[in-house]
């Protein structure tokens, strides 16, 4: 994460009256997706009313606003994909379609009166800590600045689509669509279509496109494990029961959430204790499910991953694999050499002409330094987040905060993923943040910042636990997984149970943070060596 600073030890040479520059808001939340809305609700429930949500787009909803491609939906049961305090008895299917998730978020915004707190068309392109005024200056795209005492980054795990790194991509004369920038006016019926990428989005959209396209070419670099999807319509009587008996729905939510955590987290974290779980799952998929789904042995062989189950996030679908049984659908595993004016050319010299290209090539993760070169985050004494992420192994305290970034919190920081669903993460992280803010208010502090030693200690614990995980088993080399960062670490996941993370959010030592009064300012010199970071195992 960069060189951690030392705790406050000396008073600054210059004493400044913070009253000269006042914040526009006490808390600025960056992003009006699921994380931002969940954070705002947590603030309200704790009695914090002076907050603002800054959103770069023209509507709230984040992922579920941006992704409208055919077949979009949740890949975990909908009963697990909701806040514990806002149960929705009206999910129409076991795995809810994307439009229903967007409706759920819209309903939350209305119920909690959040729309008037959201400032749309307000992309934060730079965050700068004003050390003298003890606040953050947030530069908004175009003219404008928002000054906030505290900042919560709720930009989510997947920030922007990855740039297309294929020669000639700008030469193609046909339609180009991205899974997260779908053009609903572009009709692919009867068209020759190429889908580049076979991640979770492609698993959902490929069967939908195949149903109407005259020809579909699917370009696969790395295959993905695809498991059965136990999906069905939710009977009306069940919806009625959930409306009348919310405790019953809460029990179902807990059960579904634990099942997701077992499949997505325990397989990885508990691998050394239960290695048979991942091996058995992969064997069943390989020898039974894939065999039943794909008729052609050669196509089936190319669809089966060579890495272990859990190295890369698996997906669920009952229609993706059978799509390759259709005569007009081709699985292409030769590397792409270039995109031409009229199609795609592979390294074997063959060019396949198409009318449209669909890019399902993934996203930049929240920890990608490029995000913060485009939108810099500059903390105390010149701390630069992009530089820190580039030069040093990622670290955090409880996945929420970092030394060098006073009054700054992340909904999803290094080693931050909690449990099996995003809602678990949001509830746990927001509880941590609210607890720190409440303590700052109780102490009359204008500045709070996590200390270096607790950060190093906690990150070291997470790394040691992950050293015994499936990801360290050596069977993930071919996965091309976003779980692994550019340092070779796996800082995506918090290797604890969601129950442990929830308890930690309510009981971590509050003195792991430094609390400074409004005046005089105590400046904390940033350590420019990597001593405390590099000593972490």
């Amino acid at each position: 994460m960069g060189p951690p600073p030392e705790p406050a030890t000396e008073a600054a040479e210059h004493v400044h009256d913070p009253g000269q520059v006042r914040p526009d808001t006490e808390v600025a939340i960056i992003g009006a997706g699921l994380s931002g809305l969940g954070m705002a609700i947590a603030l309200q429930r704790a009695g914090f009313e002076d907050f603002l949500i800054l959103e770069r787009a023209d509507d709230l909803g984040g992922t579920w606003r941006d992704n409208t491609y055919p077949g979009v939906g949740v890949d975990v049961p909908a009963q697990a994909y909701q806040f514990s305090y806002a149960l929705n008895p009206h999910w129409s299917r076991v795995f809810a379609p994307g439009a229903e998730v967007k409706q759920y978020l819209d309903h939350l915004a209305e119920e909690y009166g959040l729309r008037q707190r959201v400032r749309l068309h307000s992309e934060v392109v730079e965050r700068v800590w004003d050390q003298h005024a003890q606040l953050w200056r947030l530069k908004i795209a175009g003219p404008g600045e928002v000054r906030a005492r505290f900042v919560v980054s709720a930009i989510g795990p997947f920030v922007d689509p990855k740039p297309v790194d294929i020669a000639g991509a700008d030469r193609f004369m046909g339609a180009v669509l991205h899974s997260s920038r779908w053009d609903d006016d572009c009709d692919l019926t009867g068209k020759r279509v190429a889908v580049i990428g076979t991640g979770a989005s492609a698993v959902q959209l490929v069967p939908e496109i195949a149903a109407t396209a005259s020809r579909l070419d699917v370009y696969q670099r790395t295959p993905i494990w695809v498991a059965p999807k136990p999906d069905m319509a939710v009977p009306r009587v069940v919806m009625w029961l959930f409306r009348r008996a919310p405790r019953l729905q809460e029990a179902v939510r807990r059960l579904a959430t634990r099942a997701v955590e077992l499949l997505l987290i325990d397989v990885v974290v508990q691998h050394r204790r239960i290695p048979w779980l991942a091996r058995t799952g992969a064997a069943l998929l390989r020898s039974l499910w894939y065999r039943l789904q794909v008729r052609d042995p050669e196509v089936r062989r190319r669809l089966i991953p060579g890495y272990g189950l859990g190295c890369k996030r698996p997906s669920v679908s009952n229609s993706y694999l059978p799509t390759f049984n259709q005569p007009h659908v081709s699985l292409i595993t030769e590397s792409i050499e270039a995109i031409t004016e009229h199609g795609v050319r592979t390294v074997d010299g063959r060019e396949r002409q198409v009318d449209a290209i669909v890019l399902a090539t993934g996203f930049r993760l929240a920890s990608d330094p490029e995000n913060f070169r485009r939108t810099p985050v500059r903390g105390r004494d010149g701390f630069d987040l992009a530089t820190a992420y580039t030069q040093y192994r990622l670290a955090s305290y409880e996945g929420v905060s970092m030394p060098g970034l006073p009054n700054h919190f992340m909904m999803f920081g290094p080693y931050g993923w909690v449990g099996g669903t995003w809602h678990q993460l949001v509830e746990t992280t927001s509880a941590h943040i609210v607890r720190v803010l409440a303590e700052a208010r109780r102490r009359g502090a204008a500045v709070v910042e996590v200390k270096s030693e607790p950060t190093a200690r906690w990150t070291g614990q997470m790394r040691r636990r992950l050293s015994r995980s499936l990801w360290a088993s050596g069977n993930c080399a071919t996965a091309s997984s976003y779980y692994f960062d550019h340092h070779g670490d796996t800082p995506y996941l918090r290797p604890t149970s969601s129950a442990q993370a929830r308890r930690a959010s309510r009981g971590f030592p509050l003195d792991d943070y430094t609390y400074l009064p409004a005046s005089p300012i105590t400046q904390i010199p940033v350590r420019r060596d990597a001593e405390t970071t590099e000593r972490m195992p």
Side-chain angles (χ1 to χ4, degrees), residues 129-143:
W129 172 248
D130 186 328
Q131 192 155 317
H132 293 295
Q134 299 175 311
L135 51 76
W136 283 91
R137 295 183 180 272
L138 307 178
K139 182 179 179 182
I140 309 301

Side-chain angles (χ1 to χ4, degrees), residues 495-527:
T496 71
S497 70
S498 58
Q500 289 171 321
R502 187 166 55 252
R503 287 194 296 270
S505 71
R506 298 169 180 171
F508 66 89
L510 288 166
D511 284 338
D512 283 352
Y513 284 83
T514 296
Y515 303 83
L516 300 179
S519 181
I521 294 176
T522 302
Q523 293 187 350
I524 314 169
V526 175
R527 285 280 295 275

Side-chain angles (χ1 to χ4, degrees), residues 354-413:
V354 292
D355 305 304
I357 294 176
V358 175
L359 300 172
T361 47
F363 300 83
R364 292 195 190 281
L365 258 65
S367 59
D368 189 329
E370 289 302 319
N371 294 321
F372 305 108
R373 292 192 179 98
R374 187 181 73 84
T375 59
V377 178
R378 298 189 172 96
R380 178 172 46 75
D381 294 340
F383 179 94
D384 179 78
L385 190 57
T387 301
Y389 275 172
T390 301
Q391 296 182 356
Y392 301 93
R393 298 173 70 188
L394 273 62
S396 75
Y397 180 69
E398 297 280 344
V400 175
S401 51
M402 293 181 182
L405 296 177
N407 290 12
H408 187 283
F409 307 95
M410 298 166 290
M411 296 300 290
F412 176 62

Side-chain angles (χ1 to χ4, degrees), residues 28-251:
I29 301 170
I30 302 175
L34 197 156
S35 303
L37 297 179
M39 183 68 234
I41 293 169
L43 287 172
Q44 279 190 340
R45 286 159 63 96
F48 290 85
E49 293 294 339
D50 186 8
F51 64 87
L52 176 67
I53 306 173
L54 300 169
E55 170 55 53
R56 65 181 177 178
D58 59 359
D59 191 13
L60 55 81
T63 293
W64 302 104
R65 173 201 61 230
D66 294 339
N67 288 269
T68 61
Y69 59 81
V72 63
V74 296
D75 58 1
V76 298
Q79 291 301 325
Y81 203 78
Q82 56 186 339
F83 291 118
S84 62
Y85 54 80
L87 301 182
N88 174 22
H90 304 294
W91 299 117
S92 67
R93 303 192 63 82
V94 173
F95 290 77
E100 288 188 21
V101 182
K102 177 62 166 68
Q103 291 170 7
Y104 174 76
L105 296 176
D106 287 339
H107 174 73
L108 282 178
E110 296 297 335
E111 181 178 355
Y112 286 90
L114 297 180
R115 283 198 178 274
Q116 57 264 38
R117 306 294 193 105
V118 179
R119 183 181 296 182
L120 301 174
H121 303 288
S122 299
E123 181 179 14
V124 178
V125 296
E126 186 178 42
R127 308 172 218 170
V128 177
W129 172 248
D130 186 328
Q131 192 155 317
H132 293 295
Q134 299 175 311
L135 51 76
W136 283 91
R137 295 183 180 272
L138 307 178
K139 182 179 179 182
I140 309 301
E145 176 184 87
V146 172
R147 298 184 298 269
R149 183 70 70 202
F150 300 95
V151 169
V152 178
S153 177
I155 60 175
F158 308 115
V159 181
D160 289 309
K162 287 182 180 177
V164 182
D165 188 22
I166 303 174
D170 56 346
R171 297 173 52 201
F172 183 63
M173 302 294 289
V176 178
L177 300 93
H178 193 283
S179 59
S180 68
R181 303 289 187 272
W182 199 261
D183 182 358
D184 293 320
D185 294 328
C186 184
D187 187 2
L188 300 179
T189 302
K191 301 289 181 62
R192 301 168 300 174
V193 183
V195 174
I196 300 177
T198 52
S201 299
V203 168
Q204 294 185 341
L205 63 82
V206 160
E208 300 292 327
I209 295 175
T212 60
S214 64
R215 195 186 85 225
L216 176 61
D217 301 330
V218 180
Y219 289 82
Q220 172 187 278
R221 183 181 67 170
T222 305
I224 182 173
W225 283 112
V226 180
K229 185 177 183 179
D231 191 24
M232 63 187 72
V234 177
R236 290 189 178 276
V237 65
V238 173
M239 296 184 190
W240 179 84
L241 275 174
F242 285 163
R243 286 196 304 270
R244 297 295 298 270
R247 288 186 179 180
L248 173 63
Q249 186 178 12
E250 171 60 12

